[in-house]
Amino acid sequence: MQRFITILEGDGKGLRKPLLTRRMLVGRSGDADIRINDPKVSSAHLDLRVEPDAVFVQNVSRFGSSLNDKQLTAEVSLNPGDVLKIGDTKLRYEEAPDAAAPPQKPVAADPASVDLEATKVADTNFMAAQEKARHKEEAPDEASTRAVVEDGTRIANPSELPGWKPPQKEKQSTPGLWIGIVLVVILAALGGTFWFLNGPKAATAVGRTEFNDPLFAFSVSYPSDWSKLQDTADVIVFGVGQEGDAAGARVSIYHDKNPEHALTGLSDGFVQYEEVLKKEHFKDFELTGYESMQNNDVTMIFFRFHTPTRQGKGIYVLNADTRIVVECSCPPANYQQYNPSFSSILQSFRFTGDKAQEFIEFPLPDAQTRALADSSPTQLSHDFDTHIQRGDGLVSSKDVKPDNLSLAMQEYRQALQLAISGSERLPGCRTAAQGLRQATLLYNQALEEQRFRIKVAMKEGDESRAYWEADKMMQMVPDKTDSAYQEAYALVRSLERYRK
């Protein structure tokens, strides 16, 4: 089998690069195996791992990459026709059967077509090239590495939060040596200014006190020299310094239960909650960055803010009908002093119940959906109804194909994106949210049942049955960047020899 990368858009459009060695680096560096002349492409941007039965790709650039218009967040296998985008360049992965050699006409070996097994490149060589390329990388611009502008809102870059991870990420399966080197290089480039780095130091300096809330089933720890200042049905406040003390720091935890929270998307819910922050919690509040993150198995929105008299950070969390917001703030002049404590407090947040976190999520409107809402409300409404009907049909036929529930969730998410794109939400917005919640619950239940079947088969020593159960689980998740797909794919590969 011959494998290729074809440049679809950008410099070198139309060029076809064969994948001839086990590890190949895609980037702007002269040391890259596939060199891309694009200023928005890093010296080392993509790592391609070529195996006999599959080709794997992983983003190794701080600028990010996409696979089939979705963010590439982990190492995934490529299918023929998959499109990768790095910077302004689009690449397509292709496969072709090996060409038959002409009879009775031996051909001299061509360096460009040498057998893979005979010319394996050692990982150390790859690492040396990658490390050299990374050292050639230009110094990052502050604005480009820490935030980008999207519809007037500064979105925090995940690299601001070392140690936290975007939701639904799988642990990488590439060799630990070079992953460690990449992480060290990235952290060194980012420097010691990020909020996360000093959190553990603050935790050990004076000890910590843990607070458990049995009603809302969460816990959080804070420095032991801080005191509980308020505990009501709506808010819990911890702090240091007396009320009115200009140097005092505060951590306020707002919590409430409402059936509507279960029908609110995490990102959309936070956008709506921003108005509460502005009108009720802080005067002249300004949001300076936010990003969906994951910590302690909790998916949350991390945000930063400031006012003329306060500066801080916080997290916004949903769990079924529960909404919890943790806000840490102090006077701007004292922010650097309290920032490590704020970090350790936010890192300590976790749910204490025995159930996994429940919430729905869907994309916020992009420029295209907003333009459709402005130019053709009738078409918008028609598209919304179409997605709802498709979602309902897929849920009702959930047992026909393994991926129907996942596809239903996609339809409802697209419907919700359309529903909130105009100046007023479409009347069926709540119906779409209910559909997404139902499909999400059924989907998660189906995955848990499949995991249980795999465990039972493994416990009974029936590896062949375990293989096919894992294969079915993989079919349930069409998105290859999803952690559930990667989990199932890893099982399938580990059980491949038992396939019958």
Side-chain angles (χ1 to χ4, degrees), residues 199 202-203 207-212 218-224 226 238 251 253 296 326 328 340-350:
R208 301 172 75 174
T209 300
E210 184 170 306
F211 170 81
N212 284 281
F218 73 88
S219 70
V220 65
S221 61
Y222 56 94
S224 57
W226 290 29
F238 303 100
V251 175
I253 306 175
N296 296 328
V326 183
C328 306
S341 294
F342 292 162
S343 295
S344 65
I345 290 167
L346 297 179
Q347 291 173 52
S348 73
F349 182 91
R350 66 183 67 244

Side-chain angles (χ1 to χ4, degrees), residues 333-455:
N334 302 99
Y335 185 74
Q336 292 305 315
Q337 173 188 350
Y338 291 115
N339 184 37
S341 294
F342 292 162
S343 295
S344 65
I345 290 167
L346 297 179
Q347 291 173 52
S348 73
F349 182 91
R350 66 183 67 244
F351 285 119
T352 56
D354 56 357
K355 293 184 177 180
Q357 180 186 12
E358 293 182 10
F359 68 97
I360 61 173
E361 180 65 315
F362 50 88
L364 297 177
D366 54 19
Q368 184 177 357
T369 54
R370 291 188 186 281
L372 180 63
D374 292 338
S375 63
S376 181
T378 301
Q379 183 63 43
L380 179 81
S381 181
H382 175 269
D383 292 349
F384 170 82
D385 291 339
T386 299
H387 287 302
I388 292 290
Q389 292 168 8
R390 289 175 180 169
D392 291 346
L394 288 164
V395 169
S396 64
S397 59
K398 60 182 182 297
D399 297 324
V400 176
K401 290 181 61 182
D403 61 352
N404 275 3
L405 283 173
S406 179
L407 296 175
M409 291 163 61
Q410 294 180 27
E411 294 293 342
Y412 290 128
R413 288 188 181 118
Q414 292 179 58
L416 282 164
Q417 186 183 37
L418 294 169
I420 65 175
S421 61
S423 56
E424 294 185 0
R425 297 180 177 233
L426 295 181
C429 184
R430 180 182 172 82
T431 300
Q434 290 173 329
L436 177 56
R437 183 165 189 265
Q438 179 194 18
T440 301
L441 292 173
L442 291 172
Y443 173 75
N444 290 334
Q445 290 172 6
L447 286 178
E448 284 304 310
E449 290 174 3
Q450 204 61 26
R451 291 186 179 101
F452 178 76
R453 292 191 182 101
I454 295 170
K455 289 180 180 178

Side-chain angles (χ1 to χ4, degrees), residues 39-57:
K40 295 182 180 179
V41 170
S42 296
S43 297
H45 208 112
L46 292 176
D47 168 27
L48 295 173
R49 180 163 61 91
V50 182
E51 298 288 352
D53 59 343
V55 173
F56 298 84
V57 64

Side-chain angles (χ1 to χ4, degrees), residues 8 11 20 65 166 194 213 229 256 317 336 360 368 403 412:
L8 297 180
D11 185 69
L20 299 175
S65 310
F194 299 132
D213 190 301
L229 305 177
D256 68 299
V317 186
Q336 292 305 315
I360 61 173
Q368 184 177 357
D403 61 352
Y412 290 128

Side-chain angles (χ1 to χ4, degrees), residues 56 128 154 186 269 275 284 302 323 365 399-400:
F56 298 84
R154 297 182 68 214
I186 293 174
E275 294 303 312
D284 298 323
F302 165 79
R323 178 178 66 186
D399 297 324
V400 176

